[in-house]
Amino acid sequence: EVPILISEDTVISQPAKILNFLRKQKYNADYDLSAKQGADTLAYIALLEEKLLPALLHTFWVEAENYCSVTKPWFASRIPFPLSLYLPGRMSREALNRILLTRGGPPLYSLTEVEAQIYRDAKECLNLLSKRLGTSQFFFGNTPSTLDAFVFGFLAPLYKVCFPRVLLQEHLKQLPNLCRFCDDILSFYFRLGVSGHSPAGQDSVDANLQKLTQLVNKESNLIEKMDDNLRKSPQHPPRKLTTLKLAAGGEESSPPSRLSP
Amino acid sequence: LCSQAFLQMCNLPVRVVCRANAEYMSPSGKLPFIHVGNQVVSELGPIVQFVKAKGHSLSDGLDEVQKAEMKAYMELVNNMLLTAELYLQWCDDVTVEEITHPRYGSPYPWPLNRILSYQKQWEIRRKMKAIGWAGKSLEQVLEDVDQCCQALSQRLGTQPYFFNKHPTELDALVFGHLFTILTTQLTSDELCEKVKNYSNLIAFCRRIEQQYFEGHDKDSSSSATARSAKRSLLR
C-alpha cells in the first residue's frame, strides 16, 4: 500500500495509521488546536474528499491527454516492467469507476455531464478553501497542522504538475492565497536538491512530485491493489519508491513536526 | 427528515406522503423529493437551492468563512454518518437479513421484493467497495461514527444551534440523521449508544423536535404513516 512509512524496523501503511504512529511517538501538529479546531479539521478533510478528490482523480487519471502525456509515463517509469504496462491502465479504469459510482447516476446521464459537475464542485471547493484561509499563513494561524498537510497534499500536485489540459489548474492559479500557501510549504519543508538523496535536480523534482501525487491518491483503493501486485513481484527496488521520506533526510511523513521553517 | 426539518425551519407548510414508487418518481432516483406546483426537486442540496431561489434562506446571515465551514460540516455528515448508515443497513449481514430486506421489499409481492432488495444491496456494496468502506469492520465503522459525533459535539459546544442563535441547513441535516439513528429499531443498540454519549447532541435534537415538529402535529394533514414516523425522543 502506498504511502508507507518505514521507521527502523516498523512498516506502517495508510495515512490514518501513519498519523497515529507519529502521534504516539509524540509528534503532533495539532497539539495547540482547540477542540473546535480539531472538529473543523475533520470537516474540511471530508470536504476535500467529497468535492475535490473526484476532479483530481479525473485530471490525473481519466482526462485522456493528461493521462497519456504525463501520468502514465511518469508512473510507468517508476514501476518495474512488465507491471508498468498494466498497472497504470488499471489505476485509470478504477479512478473512472470510482468517479462514476460516487458521482454518476441520474440526473447526470453522460460522462460529460458528470465531468462538468465534478469540476464545478472542485472549483467551489477551491473557492471555499481560499475564503477559509484568507490572509493567514496556515489554516489555524502561524503554525501548520494536519489540515494544512492534507490540503497541501491535494493542492500541490494540481498546482505544480505541468498538464496539457489545465482547467482546474487555471482556476487554482486565480486564487493567490492558495498558491502562496503551496509555495510556502514547498520552500519550507521540501527543499530541493539539498541532500545527497537526489543526484540530479530534475530527478529530485520528479521524486518530490511523485510523493505529492501519492499523498493525493492515499485514500484510493487503486493503491491497495497496486501493493498486492508489487508484493507478488520478486524484485526489491519497488519498496524504495513507496517510501515517503522528506528530502531533508528525516524519517517523518506529513505532518511536519517542526513548528518553524 | 433533513428536508422536512429544513422546510419547517423556513416556516414553509409541508405535507409528507409515503409512496412505494417514490424512488422512480424522483428526477434523480434519490429520495426525498418535493413537489411544488408543477416542479419536482430532489435531494437536500437542490431543495435548499430551490427554496433560496424562491426567496427563503436560512444561511443569509453567515459570512463567507462561516458558509465555508457550514459546507465542510455538511460534507462531514454526508461522508461519515450517511455512509455509516448505508453500511449498517446494507453491508452488515445480520441487519440486512432481519430488517432491511423485509422493510425495503414490503410494498411489493414475492418475488419482486427479494429481487429489488438484492439489486439495491448489490448497488450499495459496489459503491462501498469503490470508496474503500467494504474492507471496514463494524467496529471501525462505529469508531468513525463516534469520531464524527465527537466533532459535531465539539463544534456545537453549548450553543443552541451550530451557528449560534438561528438554525441553518446544517442543523436540519444533523437533526435528520441523529434523530433517525436515535429512534430507529435495529438489531443492536451500538450505533444509538455512540450518539447518546454526547449529551449536547441529544439536547439539540430534543430542542428542534419540540420547536419545529410538535406544534405542527396538530394542524398538519400528514398521513397516518408519517405520524407514526414522528417517534418522540421524549418517550
Side-chain angles (χ1 to χ4, degrees):
Chain A
E1 235 183 80
V2 180
I4 63 173
L5 176 69
I6 298 180
S7 168
E8 290 158 356
D9 293 325
T10 336
V11 177
I12 307 135
S13 65
Q14 285 185 5
K17 290 185 190 156
I18 293 178
L19 291 181
N20 275 340
F21 172 78
L22 290 171
R23 282 197 189 113
K24 285 184 190 143
Q25 303 287 324
K26 310 267 186 355
Y27 292 107
N28 186 354
D30 295 339
Y31 191 68
D32 291 326
L33 296 186
S34 70
K36 179 185 171 303
Q37 288 172 324
D40 283 352
T41 301
L42 220 56
Y44 277 101
I45 291 175
L47 184 70
L48 286 172
E49 284 179 357
E50 287 286 315
K51 296 280 181 190
L52 190 56
L53 184 60
L56 278 181
L57 284 177
H58 188 273
T59 306
F60 273 79
W61 293 99
V62 180
E63 175 64 61
E65 264 187 65
N66 291 348
Y67 171 67
C68 292
S69 59
V70 179
T71 318
K72 187 167 158 192
W74 189 12
F75 272 73
S77 69
R78 305 288 176 162
I79 303 172
F81 185 85
L83 286 174
S84 58
L85 295 178
Y86 168 67
L87 273 183
R90 200 165 113 173
M91 288 164 84
S92 168
R93 278 191 296 279
E94 287 177 350
L96 180 60
N97 195 30
R98 181 178 171 147
I99 293 171
L100 286 178
L101 276 180
T102 52
R103 308 308 295 279
L108 306 167
Y109 288 103
S110 71
L111 184 57
T112 22
E113 285 173 1
V114 177
E115 287 170 4
Q117 181 62 41
I118 61 178
Y119 277 101
R120 264 199 296 273
D121 286 342
K123 285 180 187 168
E124 196 198 325
C125 181
L126 291 175
N127 291 342
L128 291 175
L129 286 173
S130 179
K131 288 195 184 109
R132 175 64 186 76
L133 181 62
T135 49
S136 326
Q137 193 177 18
F138 298 108
F139 277 91
F140 294 116
N142 291 329
T143 51
S145 63
T146 310
L147 179 59
D148 298 287
F150 266 82
V151 173
F152 176 74
F154 278 80
L155 292 187
L158 184 64
Y159 180 44
K160 285 294 182 182
V161 177
C162 301
F163 283 121
R165 297 291 295 270
V166 292
L167 189 62
L168 201 53
Q169 218 171 35
E170 286 302 318
H171 190 87
L172 177 56
K173 288 184 178 160
Q174 286 167 19
L175 299 166
N177 60 347
L178 292 181
C179 297
R180 189 249 319 143
F181 171 80
C182 290
D183 285 328
D184 281 349
I185 295 188
L186 274 171
S187 62
F188 293 160
Y189 297 107
F190 286 91
R191 256 180 256 274
L192 300 174
V194 171
S195 68
H197 282 278
S198 18
Q202 190 52 40
D203 264 354
S204 75
V205 169
D206 279 351
N208 280 316
L209 285 175
Q210 192 186 22
K211 286 170 207 159
L212 294 173
T213 312
Q214 286 169 350
L215 277 172
V216 167
N217 285 333
K218 66 187 182 292
E219 302 289 352
S220 170
N221 280 339
L222 320 170
I223 308 295
E224 288 174 20
K225 306 244 170 78
M226 186 174 154
D227 181 66
D228 279 344
N229 287 312
L230 284 174
R231 277 190 211 283
K232 285 174 198 147
S233 92
Q235 303 107 324
H236 267 297
R239 279 242 133 191
K240 290 210 187 89
L241 64 73
T242 58
T243 303
L244 195 66
K245 283 192 184 143
L246 290 178
E251 282 175 21
E252 304 107 10
S253 69
S254 66
S257 61
R258 291 162 290 164
L259 293 183
S260 57
Chain B
L1 191 56
C2 311
S3 309
Q4 193 182 353
F6 172 73
L7 291 168
Q8 282 175 337
M9 285 171 184
C10 291
N11 273 325
L12 294 169
V14 63
R15 190 162 65 104
V16 179
V17 178
C18 293
R19 291 267 191 278
N21 59 340
E23 274 183 325
Y24 300 105
M25 281 201 281
S26 157
S28 73
K30 299 203 179 91
L31 297 177
F33 66 89
I34 58 173
H35 179 202
V36 180
N38 59 351
Q39 284 176 305
V40 183
V41 183
S42 63
E43 292 184 81
L44 183 63
I47 291 176
V48 170
Q49 281 174 327
F50 176 78
V51 166
K52 190 168 175 180
K54 297 286 179 187
H56 297 269
S57 173
L58 291 178
S59 50
D60 276 343
L62 302 180
D63 64 35
E64 294 295 337
V65 175
Q66 284 177 314
K67 280 190 187 162
E69 228 179 83
M70 182 181 81
K71 297 225 160 105
Y73 274 95
M74 286 175 77
E75 288 310 323
L76 178 67
V77 171
N78 279 331
N79 199 336
M80 292 255 191
L81 281 185
L82 180 61
T83 319
E85 285 164 16
L86 284 175
Y87 179 93
L88 203 63
Q89 271 188 306
W90 295 101
C91 299
D92 176 43
D93 294 321
V94 176
T95 315
V96 167
E97 264 315 305
E98 290 188 25
I99 298 187
T100 318
H101 274 322
R103 188 166 63 180
Y104 190 76
S106 62
Y108 311 104
W110 190 90
L112 197 55
N113 56 354
R114 296 302 268 179
I115 295 173
L116 287 177
S117 56
Y118 274 117
Q119 192 182 40
K120 181 89 180 173
Q121 182 180 13
W122 182 76
E123 197 185 296
I124 302 278
R125 286 202 179 179
R126 242 180 97 202
K127 190 171 158 182
M128 292 289 163
K129 202 166 156 218
I131 57 173
W133 277 60
K136 287 199 184 186
S137 68
L138 188 59
E139 285 74 35
Q140 281 172 314
V141 172
L142 290 173
E143 266 310 302
D144 286 341
V145 170
D146 191 47
Q147 214 182 20
C148 181
C149 290
Q150 190 184 34
L152 290 171
S153 177
Q154 282 166 347
R155 177 65 185 78
L156 183 62
T158 48
Q159 298 168 141
Y161 299 109
F162 279 95
F163 289 95
N164 211 6
K165 300 225 172 45
H166 302 285
T168 57
E169 296 89 276
L170 175 61
D171 299 279
L173 185 69
V174 173
F175 170 73
H177 281 283
L178 292 183
F179 188 87
T180 312
I181 291 177
L182 288 167
T183 53
T184 307
Q185 277 295 82
L186 288 176
T187 49
S188 81
D189 284 332
E190 287 168 334
L191 188 60
C192 193
E193 290 304 318
K194 290 282 176 198
V195 179
K196 282 189 180 161
N197 283 333
Y198 300 97
S199 55
N200 62 346
L201 292 181
I202 307 260
F204 168 79
C205 289
R206 212 166 270 164
R207 194 180 312 124
I208 294 193
E209 190 197 6
Q210 282 172 334
Q211 198 160 358
Y212 294 100
F213 285 86
E214 285 182 2
H216 285 82
D217 256 345
K218 298 171 199 131
D219 48 32
S220 82
S221 52
S222 31
S223 65
T225 341
R227 263 199 294 273
S228 68
K230 287 180 184 152
R231 291 159 292 227
S232 173
L233 275 176
L234 301 174
R235 218 183 309 150

